[in-house]
Amino acid sequence: MKKAVFPGSFDPITLGHVDIIERGVTLFDELIIAIGVNADKKYMFSLEERKRFIEETFKHEPKIKVMTYSGLTVNFCKEQNAQFILRGLRNPADFEFEKAIAHTNRKLSEIETVFLLTSSGKSYISSSIVRDVIRNNGDFTGLVPNAVTI
């Protein structure tokens, strides 16, 4: 069974994330969307809200599980018997950052990281941009799945 973990804070989940998940789920028997918990980070949405947004968005996809974790992603992958980490790339800066993490993860655990390029029409969307739009009372609905509400 090919199992992958798609880790992130998903604060909130965006249409860019959805794009990677919808294409990634076709590659694996199971895809765990893993919401990382970082006590030092201030989130706009609570962990429960972020989890609910994702569960609602993918409620009809049986190959997707939504879980939370803290600590190293590679340790979570081991606990879940996942052989792959799925990551999305929007631009060259993402690639450089993600490449270093992938090499480190491979050194720590021999886990493979699979990269998918975000579709061109969604490559500009990031959670930080969405949060900025929300903070400034802008219309964020075209950037996130319908499940994301404030």
Side-chain angles (χ1 to χ4, degrees):
M1 181 166 163
K2 291 185 293 183
K3 189 186 290 192
V5 169
F6 183 46
S9 60
F10 304 103
D11 187 33
I13 186 170
T14 70
L15 293 180
H17 294 126
V18 171
D19 174 60
I20 296 298
I21 293 164
E22 287 177 342
R23 290 187 298 126
V25 77
T26 67
L27 303 174
F28 304 102
D29 300 309
E30 184 177 299
L31 180 59
I32 299 170
I33 302 172
I35 306 169
V37 177
N38 181 340
D40 297 330
K41 194 170 178 183
K42 294 204 177 210
Y43 297 104
M44 176 173 274
F45 295 95
S46 71
L47 181 60
E48 294 76 22
E49 288 173 311
R50 290 180 281 147
K51 189 170 190 232
R52 182 174 43 81
F53 296 157
I54 298 167
E55 288 172 339
E56 177 66 23
T57 300
F58 295 103
K59 65 184 173 192
H60 299 298
E61 178 49 71
K63 291 169 57 175
I64 290 177
K65 279 187 186 175
V66 183
M67 301 177 77
T68 63
Y69 77 103
S70 59
L72 292 176
T73 301
V74 293
N75 291 344
F76 178 75
C77 290
K78 284 180 192 175
E79 291 167 11
Q80 299 304 316
N81 296 313
Q83 307 91 348
F84 303 94
I85 294 173
L86 176 64
R87 297 297 294 158
L89 300 174
R90 293 171 300 180
N91 54 49
D94 278 357
F95 174 73
E96 289 302 323
F97 177 75
E98 294 290 345
K99 180 177 74 166
I101 294 171
H103 285 310
T104 302
N105 287 340
R106 182 97 169 99
K107 181 79 171 170
L108 292 174
S109 70
E110 298 185 6
I111 195 161
E112 290 291 346
T113 301
V114 175
F115 296 109
L116 292 179
L117 299 177
T118 305
S119 297
S120 62
K122 297 178 180 71
S123 62
Y124 66 95
I125 303 171
S126 70
S127 292
S128 58
I129 288 173
V130 171
R131 289 191 305 271
D132 195 45
V133 170
I134 291 169
R135 271 193 287 277
N136 290 287
N137 300 314
D139 181 6
F140 62 93
T141 57
L143 305 172
V144 298
N146 292 335
V148 176
T149 58
I150 54 170

